[in-house]
Amino acid sequence: MEKLRILVRGGGDLATGTIHRLWRAGFQVLVLECRQPAAIRRQVAVCEAVYTGRTVVEDMEAVLVNNLAEAEMAWANKQVPLLLDEEAAIIAEYQPDVVIDAIIAKKNLGTRLDMAPLVIALGPGFVAGKDVHYVIETKRGHNLGRIISQGAAAPNSGVPGNIGGYTKERVLHAPAAGRVRVVQNIGAVVEKGELIAEIITPTGAVPVLASLTGIIRGMLKDGFVVTEGFKLADIDPRKEELANCFTISDKARCLAGSVLELVVASLLAKKERA
């Protein structure tokens, strides 16, 4: 297979679904991350390698690298290299064929149409045909995964997707600014009202209680410093779905399929022009 240079901005759980799909298809992917990623679904996010040096999501290993030479070594070992480069400065050296903005920041953090021959963005904050070539719809529902060639994805509603009949209740936010002390981590079964974390502030510990009964599917790293209102944890009400904490979600796989479709179409078009 021809070696397309693919760059993915972001290594959270939704980004990881796309990275995993491209990797399984045989493409070489370079992932860019910030120095303190805040993914809560850490078991299925390659950005965890920022803290640990390497991480495994399903059958894919991601490793932290310092430069393109180390990235080449990772590719040779069938690994996914992850580089600390929030501003995407490596683009000038790497000259990617494809850039995918999978930061899911609900706004554009600097991705431009001229970054590569094919530029794709996941979610709201981008206009296809202006900021990027294509936008992928990330809102759950009939249009999830739809490829948009003109216009934008649905605006952020602020309401999490419905799982087991729960939406806003599933996601917990920091009740105060401070340092997170994890009491119950990912995979733990908790009861509504149970203490799952504390926010350590200069004046004492502020409790974070489970908003419903279920499994902790996502939790910030112990010691992470948060502002008030920062997304902290995610509880899945389906207590029988423990394996979901450690596998890529249906939503992430759906988005990944749309990205792969665009990448393969671009590769075929390139071959026809040759």
Side-chain angles (χ1 to χ4, degrees), residues 115-134:
M115 281 182 161
L118 174 61
V119 182
I120 305 165
L122 273 55
F126 306 88
V127 177
K130 178 183 176 183
D131 304 310
V132 297
H133 295 99
Y134 298 98

Side-chain angles (χ1 to χ4, degrees), residues 235-246:
I235 298 178
D236 189 330
R238 303 166 299 179
K239 291 193 289 185
E240 70 280 6
E241 301 288 353
L242 177 61
N244 289 359
C245 300
F246 309 101

Side-chain angles (χ1 to χ4, degrees), residues 7-170:
L7 183 148
V8 177
R9 300 190 71 190
D13 63 298
L14 294 183
T16 298
T18 287
I19 294 160
H20 185 265
R21 181 68 59 87
L22 293 170
W23 175 80
R24 286 287 301 272
F27 292 104
Q28 291 184 346
V29 184
L30 176 63
V31 182
L32 305 186
E33 253 299 349
C34 63
R35 295 189 177 277
Q36 288 189 306
I40 61 171
R41 296 209 62 216
R42 295 180 286 107
Q43 301 291 343
V44 289
V46 296
C47 63
E48 186 71 359
V50 171
Y51 300 105
T52 61
R54 63 183 61 239
T55 194
V56 176
V57 176
E58 298 193 9
D59 53 345
M60 176 184 72
E61 184 177 26
V63 295
L64 188 64
V65 301
N66 295 303
N67 48 52
L68 283 182
E70 292 183 6
E72 291 285 356
M73 294 173 61
W75 289 322
N77 291 325
K78 307 300 182 183
Q79 299 166 316
V80 172
L82 187 146
L83 183 69
L84 296 181
D85 183 6
E86 190 171 357
E87 304 301 325
I90 196 68
I91 282 181
E93 180 182 358
Y94 186 47
Q95 296 187 338
D97 298 293
V98 182
V99 167
I100 303 159
D101 188 312
I103 301 171
I104 319 293
K106 313 295 193 302
K107 59 182 178 180
N108 189 344
L109 296 179
T111 295
R112 305 185 313 275
L113 195 67
D114 62 357
M115 281 182 161
L118 174 61
V119 182
I120 305 165
L122 273 55
F126 306 88
V127 177
K130 178 183 176 183
D131 304 310
V132 297
H133 295 99
Y134 298 98
V135 172
I136 308 298
E137 180 60 70
T138 56
K139 184 177 180 179
R140 285 189 181 274
H142 181 76
N143 289 318
L144 178 64
R146 184 178 293 276
I147 296 171
I148 301 167
S149 58
Q150 293 292 327
N156 179 32
S157 67
V159 179
N162 188 316
I163 293 181
Y166 294 92
T167 56
K168 287 184 177 180
E169 303 97 327
R170 292 194 302 105

